[in-house]
Structure formats: structure tokens, C-alpha cells
Amino acid sequence: MRYRRAGLAKAVACTAVVALAASACGSGGSTTTSDGKTVLTVATFNEFGYEELFKEYEAANPNIKIEQRKTGQGAPHHQNLFTKLAAGSGLADVEAIEEGYLAQVMSKSSQFEDLKEIGPSDVREDRWLQWKVDAVTTKDGKLIGYGTDIGPLAMCYRKDLLEAANMPSDAEGVKALFESWDTYFAAGDQYVKATGKAWFDSASQVFNPMHNQEKVGYFDQDDKLAIETNNDKKIFEQVSAAVQGGQSAKLVAWSDEWKRGFKESAFATKVCPSWMLGGIRDNSGPEHKGKWAVSATFPGGGGNWGGSYLSVPKQGKNKTEAAKLAAWLTAPEQQIKAFTAKGTFPSQTQALISPELLNQTDEYFGGEKVGLLFAEQANKVPAAQYKGPEDGTIQETVLSPALQAVEQGTAPADAWNTVLEGAKKAAK
């Protein structure tokens, strides 16, 4: 899946992923073609849904030739980004940034163009949801990225498994189950008691969205470690108690075992950012079509998990043209096309009210109007969560391993002490 956020700060160097990221590790290359066209390089990862859009842009702008540098995963893409930032050369004209790496990028914001200054004058900030803009705006007001997609949260569940446990499975019935995290875990206890099977897939896959609903991440807005003063300990204890109650299938997200878990009906519910629908569909297989459903009722209200931006590094050779392309790609019309192509949910306000988006359905999930559902969920997100420079490192190398340890029998109190030690070390 696209937003693994695996190995944020510990990703291997570009030279170690030759086969995966050879194009991203290349030099800047020529800025013009033999027939005088301006070459614009665009570096992305996984699937942005831009391939056909690039052709469309070139047709409308015959003086432009677009070269895409596309890596398979986010980690090598961002490692290349940070390596080339340090070197002072070699980046693409347009560089994609995933929100899990955004704090690290924002700490280097002086190396990116202010798109308010070099971008097209008709691009207004109200093109995007306000929290999407806030997350990529520096403290002195510079905008260093145009928003592409987002990951509004819903809850996916297996109707047939809930029915087998004599629990409600229709849209109205599950509202009470998913109203809050307290009711969600209480329903989990009920499900485990009735079936002896797991309620959710992984402790970290539940902890992450709960944590993402907090105002700040692991650091406050002064970049001081906040893990001892926010609600993370309470969240950790809630999730750990559910694990001890048998609610977790104890599957490591994105592993082969996790993928098989969908097909083997190893769990009944799954936290569902919009981009997870494709993963559920692919991993569960055609035999489970119509058994999965999506609920617009999400514990704690709403939330976001994932999403990206397009930025223009200062070291680029064609910065004004690059900003023009990035602005066009992130316009509502183009982002709806990208959603249709690859399921990347738009962050643009006009896209979120477009009939073309709102009327999109998904037959795998019973014909649910997923465009409308996730548009409504996106509007429930109150603000962007502030993340410090080492937020991703703590999430991936401290919290996730600690929760996995709880799933393997470590006492929650001991695991939490390990979290505190690891977070303090990462923050130094």
C-alpha cells in the first residue's frame, strides 16, 4: 500500500535500492530536448495517478516534455530527497512529499520555493481544505507544497462476521458500535466472547489513528517532546487492554501474514483511510466481494491518515514552469481524474463537492457511494496535527515495536517505559 510510512528516518541509502529507485538517484539531466522543449522532471512514489495527466499537459503545452521519476515505495523516494537536499543538486523539478515525512521536510523549508511567490497568481489557498494548507505552511507564512490527496478515516467491517456473532451489521446498527473508542473496544470484547476470534488486525493500526486525532503528535509546536503530556499513554493503555482481551489478530501491517489475514477472515474490523479500500479489495479477493462494508461513523469523530504534496526545490532549473505544472496537477479537475485512476482521494474543496466524485461507488463494498462517504469524512477533520521533525521516527521505530511486544506478551507498563526511553533518545 501507498502509505506504509515504513523506515522514515532509517531508510536505506539510495545506492542500496538500485533496482527500485535508479531513476530517482539519477542526476538532474538535460533541461531541454534536442528540439528545444523544456524538460520538467517529476519525482513521485507508488501511485499518484498522473500518467495520463502528464500526456494531457504535454498536449496542451507543446513546449514542455515531462519525465517522471517513480519509485515503488515512499522510503527510498524520501531518502533520495534528503540526500540530494544535502548535496545541493540532483533533485527533480517537482518533488512529491508524503505527510509522514513532512515534518522533516519542513525543517528544511528554506531549500524549497515559496509557492505563493513563484506559483500561478490564480492559485488561491482556499483551493484546499484549510488543514491541508496549514500543514505545509511555515511559521513565517511560506507555502512549500501544493496538496494532492488525503486519507480521511472511516471504519470497514465484515458484515457476515458481525452477523455470525449476533451483532448488528447494517449501516444504522453499527453506528452504536463505532460511536467512540470506548464503544468500539466494548464491541470488540463482545465479538471475541461470541466467536473467539480477533476484532482488529494490529495494535499499531488502531493506535495510529487514535494518536492522529490528537492536536499535536509526539512533539508540541515548540518541538518539545509531548509524549508524556498528551493522551498517548491513555491511548497506549486502551489499545494494550484490547490486545490482552484477545481483540488483536497480532498481524504486522503490510506483511504477508497480514495480507493473508484478509482472505482468511482473521479479523472483523479494519481502520479504513480512503486509500485502504484498494488494499482490502486486493487482499480479501473476489470471494469476499459484498461481505465488506464501510461505515461513515468513526470513533472519536473524524481523522486523517496519509496524503501528499508537490513541492518545488530551489535547486531546480525550471522553477516557474515546475510550479505551473504542480499547480495544474493539484487542481480539482485533475485530482478527480487521479482518484478515478488510482483511488487517491482529493484534498481540494471544489473536488469534494463535485458530482463526479460524490457519485462514485464501489461494488466490492456493496455499491457504497465511497466518494460521498469519504468527502463527508474529510470535512470532519478539524485541523492538521502538528508533527515534530522526529515524529515519524518515533512512530515507526519506537511505538510500533512496543505495541508488537505487547501483542507478544510484554506487560503494557514495561512496553510503555520502553516507549518513553526510545522517544527521549530519538528527540535528542
Side-chain angles (χ1 to χ4, degrees):
M1 286 307 299
R2 180 172 174 187
Y3 300 105
R4 299 185 183 202
R5 298 183 61 181
L8 298 183
K10 307 297 183 182
V12 293
C14 203
T15 53
V17 288
V18 175
L20 181 63
S23 61
C25 296
S27 62
S30 176
T31 60
T32 59
T33 63
S34 59
D35 57 355
K37 292 184 179 182
T38 297
V39 177
L40 294 179
T41 50
V42 181
T44 63
F45 50 92
N46 294 102
E47 299 294 347
F48 275 65
Y50 286 167
E51 282 73 12
E52 293 303 314
L53 291 177
F54 289 151
K55 297 177 184 177
E56 184 178 337
Y57 191 82
E58 288 176 334
N61 298 270
N63 63 316
I64 297 295
K65 173 65 177 177
I66 299 172
E67 294 182 357
Q68 186 179 20
R69 303 174 182 177
K70 181 179 176 181
T71 60
Q73 297 180 10
H77 167 87
H78 289 87
Q79 181 61 40
N80 179 68
L81 173 66
F82 297 130
T83 299
K84 296 297 193 294
L85 282 174
S89 65
L91 287 175
D93 295 301
V94 178
E95 287 278 346
I97 302 167
E98 203 270 327
E99 64 95 17
Y101 300 80
L102 186 57
Q104 292 167 270
V105 170
M106 295 298 283
S107 69
K108 306 176 189 303
S109 60
S110 62
Q111 299 185 60
F112 293 86
E113 291 290 344
D114 179 1
L115 296 176
K116 292 181 182 178
E117 294 294 327
I118 72 163
S121 59
D122 61 344
V123 178
R124 295 160 49 96
E125 288 188 25
D126 61 6
R127 168 182 285 189
W128 297 274
L129 293 165
Q130 188 58 51
W131 58 266
K132 185 71 172 177
V133 175
D134 291 343
V136 77
T137 302
T138 65
K139 292 179 181 179
D140 58 355
K142 296 177 181 178
L143 182 71
I144 68 165
Y146 287 146
T148 60
D149 62 315
I150 51 177
L153 289 165
M155 187 67 73
C156 290
Y157 64 96
R158 281 279 298 273
K159 293 185 294 184
D160 58 326
L161 298 184
L162 265 62
E163 290 167 1
N166 293 317
M167 297 172 69
S169 64
D170 61 292
E172 285 299 315
V174 298
K175 285 183 177 180
L177 305 183
F178 305 147
E179 182 179 3
S180 68
W181 289 110
D182 287 339
T183 63
Y184 176 74
F185 291 128
D189 284 335
Q190 181 182 349
Y191 181 81
V192 172
K193 184 177 180 179
T195 67
K197 297 181 179 180
W199 180 233
F200 54 81
D201 56 334
S202 157
S204 62
Q205 290 282 292
V206 175
F207 179 92
N208 289 355
M210 295 177 73
H211 167 79
N212 284 352
Q213 289 178 324
E214 298 297 305
K215 183 177 180 180
V216 299
Y218 300 114
F219 295 83
D220 63 23
Q221 294 182 344
D222 294 321
D223 289 334
K224 294 181 180 179
L225 193 64
I227 196 168
E228 291 184 281
T229 57
N230 61 17
N231 288 325
D232 281 335
K233 182 179 181 181
K234 177 182 177 182
I235 296 171
F236 191 91
E237 290 173 344
Q238 279 185 290
V239 176
S240 295
V243 170
Q244 291 182 315
Q247 293 190 33
S248 176
K250 305 177 182 180
L251 300 171
V252 178
W254 321 118
S255 67
D256 290 341
E257 292 78 13
W258 179 80
K259 293 176 182 178
R260 286 198 300 271
F262 287 92
K263 194 174 291 288
E264 296 171 354
S265 304
F267 45 89
T269 65
K270 178 76 191 80
V271 170
C272 241
S274 51
W275 45 264
M276 184 61 73
L277 296 184
I280 291 176
R281 188 187 308 112
D282 294 343
N283 291 321
S284 298
E287 63 269 32
H288 291 123
K289 180 180 179 179
K291 296 179 180 179
W292 280 99
V294 192
S295 173
T297 302
F298 188 79
N304 185 73
W305 186 357
S308 297
Y309 297 85
L310 297 182
S311 68
V312 178
K314 285 187 175 180
Q315 60 181 253
K317 300 296 190 297
N318 301 300
K319 292 177 283 191
T320 301
E321 286 293 341
K324 180 181 175 183
L325 171 59
W328 185 84
L329 287 169
T330 58
E333 300 82 2
Q334 279 66 256
Q335 285 300 139
I336 290 175
K337 293 176 183 177
F339 174 65
T340 301
K342 295 296 181 180
T344 50
F345 200 77
S347 63
Q348 294 72 22
T349 54
Q350 289 302 307
L352 296 179
I353 60 174
S354 167
E356 185 177 356
L357 178 80
L358 300 180
N359 291 328
Q360 291 207 28
T361 61
D362 194 320
E363 294 306 315
Y364 194 88
F365 293 85
E368 178 69 53
K369 296 183 72 171
V370 292
L372 175 62
L373 186 151
F374 282 106
E376 292 175 344
Q377 294 305 96
N379 284 309
K380 293 179 183 179
V381 181
Q385 182 185 72
Y386 180 80
K387 297 179 183 293
E390 298 302 325
D391 235 79
T393 300
I394 292 174
Q395 181 66 60
E396 294 297 326
T397 68
V398 179
L399 258 300
S400 292
L403 288 164
Q404 290 170 18
V406 172
E407 289 176 320
Q408 299 305 315
T410 298
D414 293 338
W416 180 251
N417 287 334
T418 301
V419 168
L420 292 181
E421 293 174 5
K424 291 175 181 177
K425 183 178 179 179
K428 289 182 178 179

